[in-house]
Amino acid sequence: MDCPDCGAPTLAFPVPPEYREYLPADATGAEVCTGCLALRPVDDPPADLPDFTAISDAIPSNPDAALPFVLLVGLVPSLATNRSEISALLERVERAGTDPLLALDRLADDPAVDPEADLRTRRRQLEQLL
């Protein structure tokens, strides 16, 4: 499927029950745009998690960190609205062995993506949250 915002391909994935509270709607899965990194809920996701590094090498290769990181990036454009969710996802990424702020820096530097939110600005705001 293609992103309605930028036209880039999307990557659909299942969202385990423990992460569904972080989705913008009550769905069993989500899709992330490989271009603008927009996150949208989907009702019929594939059974297995994809390799999120197909979007960018900045995304953790460890699935335990990659899934919450992708959800985090999808929520970052609405930082004020999703503050508690983002904070919880930051902790989950960190517990999985990845520095989420460093990963955000690397993603902001990746010329292959054009995020809908300014990741550098959001990163500074996230630092103030912590």
Side-chain angles (χ1 to χ4, degrees):
M1 188 167 192
D2 291 336
C3 176
D5 296 331
C6 73
T10 61
L11 189 61
F13 56 96
V15 177
E18 65 268 22
Y19 286 103
R20 289 186 187 150
E21 67 184 281
Y22 305 115
L23 287 178
D26 189 27
T28 58
E31 67 180 1
V32 62
C33 175
T34 59
C36 69
L37 305 177
L39 182 71
R40 290 176 189 77
V42 295
D43 291 322
D44 191 22
D48 298 320
L49 282 177
D51 178 8
F52 290 110
T53 61
I55 299 169
S56 170
D57 288 339
I59 296 176
S61 58
N62 171 1
D64 293 335
L67 178 62
F69 182 77
V70 167
L71 294 173
L72 163 79
V73 170
L75 294 177
V76 160
S78 300
L79 183 59
T81 307
N82 298 310
R83 184 177 181 165
S84 64
E85 292 87 348
I86 290 170
S87 181
L89 289 167
L90 283 167
E91 289 178 24
R92 287 181 178 244
V93 172
E94 197 167 44
R95 278 197 311 259
T98 298
D99 180 337
L101 298 180
L102 179 60
L104 273 175
D105 282 343
R106 291 181 62 219
L107 191 57
D109 289 339
D110 189 337
V113 295
D114 185 18
E116 64 179 329
D118 179 353
L119 295 181
R120 292 227 176 273
T121 300
R122 293 296 192 230
R123 189 224 190 268
R124 285 190 298 274
Q125 293 168 335
L126 287 172
E127 258 185 325
Q128 293 171 357
L129 276 177
L130 301 175

